[in-house]
Amino acid sequence: RRIPNPSIYANYPEDNSAVDAVTNVFNDNFAKSYVSWYGLNNTYIVFDFGSPTTVSAVEIWDRGGAPYNVREAQLIFSNDLNFGDAGDITVTYTKSDSDLVTLVDLIAQGYPNGVARRYVKWQVTVNGTTDGNNGMNEIAFYATPPVGTGISIH
């Protein structure tokens, strides 16, 4: 079951805010994506569910192949905006340029009940592009993992 989209609390600045807006990650339009302004490994988005919400899986659609891919990123689940402190849960995923859709299954990662936190930070840790304008096409949060997706990271 897909969870309603959280609000976007913060993000690394967009390349062109009119075209490359961070809100594109929820527009269900693969022709538009969030593109950072030379963010490289500093690229991030902070999502706010408003209250602790149980997430069992996160599906991320990349920008559309090399040279704009993210090769590694973290999902940091937190009850506050101090990411990396006690009580936070960090899950790292890696992917190749050919993996355009990544499913991070938290149940398979060892969290049988999912993760219940208010905030989720998506943080690029390994940039896949030399021009620095990485980002993502879409993101979806699930209470139960979706069935039939192409790639499962565990």
Side-chain angles (χ1 to χ4, degrees):
R1 178 179 62 86
R2 189 168 173 170
I3 299 170
N5 294 334
S7 63
I8 295 171
Y9 180 83
N11 62 278
Y12 193 87
E14 298 98 339
D15 184 23
N16 176 335
S17 60
V19 178
D20 304 320
V22 69
T23 54
N24 288 341
V25 301
F26 294 137
N27 69 2
D28 295 321
N29 179 353
F30 290 108
K32 293 186 175 227
S33 58
Y34 160 63
V35 181
S36 71
W37 177 248
Y38 297 99
L40 299 165
N41 291 352
N42 297 314
T43 302
Y44 71 92
I45 305 171
V46 175
F47 302 97
D48 181 358
F49 284 101
S51 62
T53 299
T54 300
V55 176
S56 294
V58 182
E59 197 167 24
I60 302 144
W61 288 264
D62 218 333
R63 272 193 63 206
Y68 307 110
N69 282 341
V70 170
R71 298 233 171 92
E72 182 182 280
Q74 293 179 332
L75 294 167
I76 307 166
F77 297 84
S78 182
N79 281 323
D80 57 42
L81 293 168
N82 297 315
F83 295 98
D85 61 1
D88 290 356
I89 294 173
T90 301
V91 176
T92 301
Y93 70 91
T94 58
K95 53 179 285 315
S96 71
D97 285 339
S98 62
D99 300 334
L100 299 182
V101 181
T102 303
L103 175 66
V104 180
D105 183 338
L106 297 168
I107 294 170
Q109 294 274 346
Y111 302 99
N113 299 315
V115 175
R117 298 291 188 275
R118 176 176 174 172
Y119 300 99
V120 179
K121 182 178 186 181
W122 174 76
Q123 174 70 59
V124 174
T125 51
V126 177
N127 182 43
T129 177
T130 55
D131 76 0
N133 297 86
N134 52 11
M136 76 167 70
N137 243 335
E138 298 283 326
I139 191 167
F141 297 90
Y142 295 90
T144 55
V147 177
T149 53
I151 296 178
S152 180
I153 306 297
H154 26 277

